[in-house]
Amino acid sequence: AVSRLLAQHQLTLACVEIGAANWINQWMLEADAGLHESSGPLGANRGNGEDRAETGHRTNHGFVGGLTFPTLTQAKHWCAGQTFEPSELWERLARQAQQQFSADVVLLVCGYPTVGQAAAGDGTFDFDFALAIGDSVTLEHRSLGGHPDVLAARAAKVGLDWLRKKLTLFTKE
């Protein structure tokens, strides 16, 4: 649904995922492969002691790429190592991804626990979502629960659903 909305309205999307998963980046690559030809993954970037994966392809609409940071510290490092309040950091990360990928829309998801963290926790984890569309950034915080094997995928689906709803409203304006 998200890929169709992006194509219909000639919008581009980049994603930033922080934590032990990169569900959305993978799903969007697969979904867009069916809509137009993909040049495949761009590879992994390593620098300044930082590991981050960058995936995507270049197009005039649809998914244009994503960043995955295994830890919040690595995401902060990408923002020139500056310390921000979470809401400021989410906006900064979204804006930097928007610029890096020349994206109209950026979805950020932070909080993916490892399966071990999810199994050791009380079953509920906090996730932060940010959505940059054009000049505005909207933030959302949600506590989600679920089996450790599916919790990260559930959070990613919540993020994509939120994006779909916002895109539907945005494109009606």
Side-chain angles (χ1 to χ4, degrees):
V2 170
S3 290
R4 284 190 301 272
L5 279 170
L6 294 168
Q8 179 182 354
H9 298 286
Q10 298 290 296
L11 294 171
T12 56
L13 169 70
C15 294
V16 177
E17 295 180 277
I18 303 167
N22 66 341
W23 287 99
I24 297 172
N25 288 320
Q26 292 298 323
W27 290 338
M28 291 306 300
L29 279 171
E30 292 169 10
D32 266 17
L35 292 177
H36 43 54
E37 193 171 298
S38 169
S39 63
L42 295 175
N45 288 327
R46 298 180 190 279
N48 302 329
E50 165 189 359
D51 290 341
R52 65 182 166 95
E54 181 180 328
T55 57
H57 59 278
R58 306 293 182 231
T59 183
N60 62 350
H61 65 272
F63 183 66
V64 292
L67 296 168
T68 301
F69 298 98
T71 67
L72 184 56
T73 301
Q74 290 166 323
K76 288 178 182 178
H77 183 72
W78 191 60
C79 285
Q82 297 180 25
T83 303
F84 300 99
E85 293 296 317
S87 62
E88 293 174 291
L89 178 60
W90 308 151
E91 183 170 352
R92 175 67 64 103
L93 286 166
R95 291 286 177 222
Q96 281 190 219
Q98 206 169 26
Q99 182 178 9
Q100 178 170 334
F101 292 103
S102 298
D104 301 308
V105 179
V106 172
L107 174 63
L108 176 142
V109 179
C110 180
Y112 294 123
T114 64
V115 173
Q117 289 169 328
D122 67 358
T124 302
F125 284 84
D126 292 330
F127 292 86
D128 289 306
F129 301 88
L131 184 59
I133 300 178
D135 293 333
S136 70
V137 176
T138 305
L139 305 175
E140 176 118 355
H141 177 84
R142 294 209 188 164
S143 293
L144 300 173
H147 190 277
D149 291 341
V150 298
L151 182 60
R154 180 169 183 230
K157 288 178 183 180
V158 166
L160 280 174
D161 187 54
W162 184 50
L163 169 61
R164 181 190 55 78
K165 289 174 182 174
K166 292 289 187 179
L167 280 178
T168 301
L169 292 173
F170 176 75
T171 55
K172 287 184 178 179
E173 295 175 356

